[in-house]
Amino acid sequence: MGDPLPRFPTNRAFRYYRTDNFGATGVKYFNSVTLFGWRIPTKATVRLEFTYKEGVHFNRYLGQGVYGVTQRDIIGYAVDINRDWLPPLITRFNGYRRVSTTFAMFQDWILGFDRNLGLSGYDRGQGDKCSTILNFSASTDWLKQTVDTRFSIEQAAHSNFGSFWASIMYAPGDHWRWTFLWRTAWSRAGPNSGKRWTEKDDTLQYFVFKMGYQF
């Protein structure tokens, strides 16, 4: 047992972070799949990951405004599907370069769940035994790899939290790299929502400019 933690922490420091993790990963390339006798060319790489987290610490409501700390195990999995495309409307402008796309989904469950656990965050709210996160991203380069463009969109199904970011990197030579990134997020969560809560800066929009030199 540790010291009681505040119901709504004002910082991201958490003294019980490390835990024992067990996992496995499998990767397979599918050139095609057969469905109802029809051969469908997929040309996709599928990766499946399994995880088991032992003894993760949670706040637990003990009654009359008193909070303690308890431990629960978490089991989860993730799957992502990656495929490269050659869409004509893009390849005619980017020198016939491939567009790489990835769809990913992650889910986990708290074992020994009870509603007195103090849960909050972008992916899970009070009463959520399971969390589900969906993500889609794409990237390609232009002008013989001088310009690299990427974007990603993510949605947490249970907490209604989502985010989107897009970036452009300009590489005029072998050394200099100029990167511009814009990110926005949305959420119906809040400290007064009755169920969900996120940190106050989780939904802030921001713009990043980065200059780098590679040796």
Side-chain angles (χ1 to χ4, degrees):
M1 297 292 290
D3 297 330
L5 299 176
R7 184 178 182 184
F8 299 123
T10 57
N11 59 64
R12 298 179 183 275
F14 189 52
R15 63 179 300 183
Y16 304 104
Y17 178 76
R18 295 181 179 179
T19 183
D20 294 326
N21 298 321
F22 306 91
T25 302
V27 180
K28 182 173 176 57
Y29 174 77
F30 292 90
N31 186 61
S32 63
V33 295
T34 302
L35 186 64
F36 301 112
W38 292 85
R39 181 178 176 272
I40 304 173
T42 53
K43 298 181 180 180
T45 300
V46 179
R47 185 179 70 199
L48 180 65
E49 296 185 354
F50 167 82
T51 181
Y52 181 82
K53 298 181 180 182
E54 184 180 41
V56 179
H57 289 82
F58 290 94
N59 289 342
R60 191 171 191 274
Y61 180 65
L62 303 177
Q64 298 181 348
V66 178
Y67 284 82
V69 177
T70 187
Q71 291 179 276
R72 294 291 189 273
D73 297 342
I74 297 179
I75 186 171
Y77 77 93
V79 57
D80 70 60
I81 303 172
N82 179 267
R83 193 188 194 283
D84 292 337
W85 306 81
L86 291 170
L89 292 178
I90 295 179
T91 54
R92 65 178 297 184
F93 298 107
N94 74 345
Y96 212 69
R97 307 290 296 180
R98 295 180 180 271
V99 177
S100 179
T101 58
T102 300
F103 171 78
M105 181 176 70
F106 170 79
Q107 287 187 303
D108 69 1
W109 292 265
I110 301 174
L111 304 181
F113 175 82
D114 68 75
R115 291 186 173 274
N116 289 325
L117 294 178
L119 303 176
S120 61
Y122 75 95
D123 61 341
R124 193 195 310 266
Q126 193 69 28
D128 289 334
K129 177 181 180 180
C130 171
S131 69
T132 303
I133 299 176
L134 304 174
N135 176 275
F136 177 78
S137 60
S139 64
T140 190
D141 58 81
W142 314 75
L143 304 175
K144 298 181 180 180
Q145 298 182 317
T146 302
V147 177
D148 179 271
T149 56
R150 301 171 181 266
F151 80 87
S152 174
I153 183 169
E154 183 173 284
Q155 179 68 46
H158 295 273
S159 65
N160 300 313
F161 175 87
S163 64
F164 172 85
W165 63 263
S167 71
I168 299 176
M169 184 182 73
Y170 174 58
D174 296 331
H175 301 289
W176 287 103
R177 300 292 183 268
W178 309 79
T179 303
F180 306 85
L181 182 145
W182 171 67
R183 186 256 194 189
T184 186
W186 53 89
S187 175
R188 289 202 297 262
N192 300 315
S193 65
K195 181 180 180 182
R196 323 262 182 209
W197 184 78
T198 56
E199 295 279 2
K200 63 181 180 179
D201 60 345
D202 281 344
T203 55
L204 291 181
Q205 301 188 40
Y206 60 81
F207 177 80
V208 176
F209 168 71
K210 182 171 67 173
M211 178 180 64
Y213 185 86
Q214 296 183 348
F215 295 92

